[in-house]
Amino acid sequence: MIGQTIYTFFNSLYDKTYPKTVLYITKKCDDPAQVSDITQEVYTEVYTVLLNKGYEHLQSPEAFVMHIAKKKLAKYYGFKTRFLSCMSLFSFNSEDEEEFEAPISDSGELSLEDKCEAKQLYFQLCQHLKSKDAVTQKIFLLYYSLDLPLKQIAAELKISEGTVKNKLYRAVRELKTIYGKDGDNNDRA
Amino acid sequence: MTERELFKDLCNESYIDKQQVLQSVLSTRSVLNKQNGGRFTMKKTFAAAASIALIALSCFTVFAVSRYLTPEQTAEMLDRPFVANAFKSEDAKIVNQSAADGKYMFSFLGIANGKDFDIDNTQKDKTYAVVAISNADGSAMTNTNNEQFFVSPLINGLNPGLYNIATMHGAYTDKLIDGILYRLIECDNIEMFANRELYLCINDGPLYSSDAFVYDGASGKITVNESYNGINLLFNLPISQENADDNKVLEFINNLENSKDEPLSDNEEGTPDFFTNKEYILENGLVNMTLLKENFTLSEEDTKILTPKNNVITFSYDSEIFGSGNSDFTLPFNYKAGESFLISRGRSGDDKQTTGYCLIGTMLEDGNVEFSIYYHTEPVNK
């Protein structure tokens, strides 16, 4: 019975804190590929504490999760690494400030479903995404995985909204080119 | 799928998937309760995994597992509540170790012990293990790719060709779930061997391949054959040494040796035993329906026509006599019209009587499959 209660409590806490935790970890870590592992470590520790000590003593469970997240990040990255990581967030080229030309369409069914189900193509898309610079990957993750608005992403990553739009727009355009929706390589597909 | 859904999916695949993280955290539950004073972390998963790499250094790379069902969930999905309960017990071990070999990723998810009905109609201590098999490139398996895999515990000091799941009253069931093939294996409880090195082997093909592994009769060690041109993996089996019992080992070996000399026959009461009489099952899983119909009863209400999709039939049944279940079954051969083949078989019951049942498919002229269940109830041998 107690186990079930903790299980329920943990699930609820997980749902409540997941976006904030992932946002925090994404912001702070220099490699987006590590976000999943660090997040898993954070919640594993949270769950361990709940199993061992219960949750009654926690005054603010949400703050507790953030505390663990900070601790885990500190463990993953030394001060120097984190400092460099923070610096890299500010280091973008002037071309990043280009005017955002077209809004990113979220609507409309893709006529490409069959193509995208082709395993090789999907794998190619993942690989391409991972080959992008860390900031672009973070923007992509925050925009599509956490559904954050562009303005908030810009604020969280401490870069201009124009940069966010441009980086996202370029990444999307390149992915579309790969799967042949539009772009210069359309005819090659 | 909309563009946004596609990109969200890409994010899940490339970076983080909320449900998978949750599942991974919860799957460490029993480890958390028992190991390291609750300080289990992903890093330790990697460290543990590194020990496997030593077994077959050049053959495969080891990864941490994070995207699979837990063994308990797998057992539930395979309609094995007994086994799911076994994986809930404190003795269950969540292993979560993966290794790629060729185009497949093999993930050893966990191991547990429990009691279940054995093929000779008595309750016996069993060992269960769950393995997930997926395409190494991350793509979904659409069927079992017509590949056969042999998964079995092996024991240091015992010739693996003679002592493997096939000779230790073993069985397996598997199911394709979300592009991953989950296999649950069971065999005689091997805890008694805990003071020896124990392995979980995987090789291609339906049976143990003596080409895939090397058994050193002098030292008793079993290793992968580096020159084998196929799938050959060895995982360490984490069994608590507390239950090692040399006397039981001797008894077990003697029983197994003796049973090899016994002819396969019907059981003592003369009742039909589908599970030990080889005349029921012919080559390629074909069933001798004449013999079956003589001794088993057809459950008419469960007979239905199924249409294979990509060579896979999906069936379900719900009976007061032999329980309920549902699963997918990949047709292993191109059966001809009129041929009947074995889909699965099992037992259900209590301490007084059990019902042995077998799920049979019969290929029809139009390419459909007639699904039927035959059963036979008999008292438990005590």
Side-chain angles (χ1 to χ4, degrees):
Chain A
M1 200 60 177
I2 291 169
Q4 184 59 38
T5 310
I6 288 174
Y7 176 82
T8 309
F9 179 84
F10 175 77
N11 268 290
S12 161
L13 182 63
Y14 182 79
D15 272 332
K16 216 181 292 178
T17 57
Y18 177 85
K20 197 176 171 189
T21 308
V22 172
L23 170 61
Y24 180 76
I25 293 168
T26 305
K27 274 165 58 180
K28 298 292 180 185
C29 85
D30 57 4
D31 180 6
Q34 297 292 325
V35 171
S36 184
D37 277 0
I38 300 172
T39 306
Q40 185 174 328
E41 279 210 24
V42 169
Y43 283 104
T44 300
E45 181 153 336
V46 170
Y47 196 36
T48 308
V49 172
L50 292 176
L51 285 171
N52 291 339
K53 298 182 179 175
Y55 55 82
E56 292 82 357
H57 71 289
L58 292 176
Q59 289 186 339
S60 170
E62 287 91 337
F64 174 66
V65 173
M66 285 312 292
H67 170 72
I68 301 286
K70 284 174 188 169
K71 208 174 78 175
K72 289 291 172 192
L73 272 168
K75 190 176 150 192
Y76 255 79
Y77 302 102
F79 173 77
K80 191 177 174 184
T81 312
R82 278 182 284 141
F83 177 71
L84 290 174
S85 169
C86 289
M87 288 299 288
S88 71
L89 292 177
F90 294 92
S91 58
F92 53 88
N93 301 326
S94 57
E95 65 181 56
D96 290 331
E97 292 287 0
E98 286 170 7
E99 195 64 30
F100 185 60
E101 292 174 3
I104 297 159
S105 169
D106 293 339
S107 60
E109 289 293 318
L110 284 179
S111 59
L112 303 159
E113 188 169 352
D114 290 343
K115 282 185 184 176
C116 290
E117 279 177 1
K119 298 159 194 167
Q120 195 56 43
L121 181 56
Y122 190 76
F123 182 67
Q124 206 181 332
L125 291 172
C126 290
Q127 290 300 103
H128 182 80
L129 192 55
K130 286 177 180 174
S131 73
K132 302 296 293 178
D133 63 273
V135 179
T136 301
Q137 291 185 63
K138 288 181 181 188
I139 293 169
F140 201 91
L141 192 162
L142 296 176
Y143 187 73
Y144 285 108
S145 192
L146 295 186
D147 297 316
L148 294 187
L150 297 175
K151 196 171 181 179
Q152 189 185 345
I153 294 172
E156 297 289 355
L157 297 183
K158 296 187 173 65
I159 52 179
S160 74
E161 196 175 345
T163 304
V164 172
K165 284 177 180 176
N166 273 302
K167 283 183 175 291
L168 188 59
Y169 174 68
R170 279 187 204 154
V172 167
R173 188 176 58 190
E174 286 166 12
L175 291 173
K176 282 179 175 177
T177 304
I178 291 172
Y179 66 60
K181 182 173 182 180
D182 58 20
D184 298 338
N185 296 338
N186 217 7
D187 295 336
R188 276 187 262 152
Chain B
M1 182 184 272
T2 64
E3 184 181 274
R4 192 173 185 96
E5 285 168 345
L6 170 66
F7 290 157
K8 196 177 179 75
D9 200 27
L10 271 179
C11 275
N12 290 345
E13 183 70 28
S14 304
Y15 304 116
I16 186 164
D17 184 329
K18 186 181 176 188
Q19 286 312 313
Q20 279 178 8
V21 169
L22 178 63
Q23 199 178 84
S24 300
V25 171
L26 296 178
S27 72
T28 61
R29 178 183 52 190
S30 42
V31 181
L32 289 169
N33 284 332
K34 287 179 290 182
Q35 292 185 358
N36 309 317
R39 293 190 297 277
F40 179 84
T41 67
M42 279 290 289
K43 289 291 176 192
K44 285 176 185 166
T45 308
F46 278 107
S51 63
I52 315 172
L54 297 174
I55 298 173
L57 280 172
S58 60
C59 290
F60 59 92
T61 313
V62 177
F63 305 89
V65 178
S66 64
R67 64 191 186 102
Y68 300 109
L69 295 175
T70 63
E72 180 188 327
Q73 289 167 332
T74 304
E76 280 166 2
M77 294 292 275
L78 290 166
D79 290 317
R80 300 293 303 277
F82 271 153
V83 184
N85 280 337
F87 277 106
K88 283 179 195 165
S89 77
E90 283 206 351
D91 294 334
K93 295 271 194 299
I94 304 299
V95 181
N96 281 353
Q97 295 173 342
S98 288
D101 194 344
K103 57 184 179 177
Y104 296 106
M105 176 74 82
F106 298 89
S107 301
F108 175 22
L109 301 183
I111 186 165
N113 297 302
K115 281 184 189 296
D116 203 353
F117 288 104
D118 201 2
I119 58 172
D120 62 0
N121 202 14
T122 55
Q123 276 204 320
K124 282 195 174 164
D125 289 331
K126 312 289 281 185
T127 291
Y128 304 98
V130 174
V131 171
I133 303 167
S134 56
N135 285 334
D137 64 4
S139 61
M141 286 175 97
T142 50
N143 52 40
T144 53
N145 297 3
N146 295 321
E147 291 255 20
Q148 290 182 306
F149 306 105
F150 178 80
V151 182
S152 170
L154 300 180
I155 302 153
N156 184 303
L158 293 179
N159 186 336
L162 302 175
Y163 294 89
N164 59 57
I165 189 170
T167 56
M168 295 192 290
H169 304 111
Y172 75 85
T173 176
D174 56 19
K175 187 175 183 180
L176 198 59
I177 303 168
D178 293 336
I180 296 168
L181 182 69
Y182 289 89
R183 175 172 293 196
L184 168 67
I185 66 160
E186 65 178 68
C187 64
D188 290 332
N189 190 316
I190 55 170
E191 277 183 314
M192 66 185 99
F193 295 103
N195 55 8
R196 302 171 182 228
E197 204 168 354
L198 296 168
Y199 319 90
L200 185 82
C201 83
I202 301 175
N203 66 250
D204 46 351
L207 294 169
Y208 174 78
S209 166
S210 53
D211 294 332
F213 303 97
V214 179
Y215 175 63
D216 182 344
S219 68
K221 270 208 161 297
I222 300 164
T223 52
V224 294
N225 180 356
E226 304 285 356
S227 59
Y228 180 68
N229 190 23
I231 294 165
N232 57 345
L233 296 174
L234 280 180
F235 292 93
N236 280 323
L237 270 185
I239 301 262
S240 169
Q241 292 208 359
E242 287 171 15
N243 297 319
D245 188 330
D246 287 337
N247 291 330
K248 274 190 179 176
V249 167
L250 271 177
E251 189 185 348
F252 178 86
I253 292 172
N254 285 336
N255 285 341
L256 216 55
E257 292 295 330
N258 293 336
S259 68
K260 284 175 193 161
D261 303 328
E262 292 171 5
L264 291 167
S265 63
D266 290 351
N267 63 19
E268 285 174 10
E269 284 87 9
T271 53
D273 197 333
F274 187 83
F275 301 90
T276 54
N277 190 329
K278 64 182 178 183
E279 289 175 6
Y280 282 99
I281 306 291
L282 310 173
E283 200 177 345
N284 293 346
L286 291 170
V287 176
N288 182 339
M289 291 303 288
T290 309
L291 191 60
L292 186 73
K293 285 175 181 173
E294 280 175 13
N295 297 299
F296 281 69
T297 307
L298 172 67
S299 173
E300 289 185 7
E301 67 271 21
D302 286 300
T303 300
K304 56 189 86 169
I305 304 298
L306 305 173
T307 302
K309 195 176 176 186
N310 295 325
N311 218 32
V312 175
I313 53 172
T314 302
F315 60 88
S316 62
Y317 56 91
D318 189 1
S319 164
E320 286 183 6
I321 304 170
F322 41 78
S324 62
N326 62 80
S327 187
D328 295 331
F329 178 75
T330 304
L331 303 180
F333 300 98
N334 289 322
Y335 294 114
K336 294 175 192 161
E339 287 184 333
S340 294
F341 52 89
L342 179 69
I343 296 172
S344 177
R345 56 189 169 181
R347 281 190 187 279
S348 63
D350 50 32
D351 58 349
K352 291 178 183 161
Q353 62 173 35
T354 64
T355 299
Y357 60 92
C358 47
L359 315 182
I360 303 292
T362 301
M363 189 57 77
L364 303 176
E365 290 280 359
D366 59 6
N368 288 332
V369 171
E370 184 185 75
F371 172 82
S372 52
I373 304 179
Y374 289 80
Y375 65 96
H376 180 88
T377 301
E378 56 197 26
V380 170
N381 293 330
K382 300 222 175 181

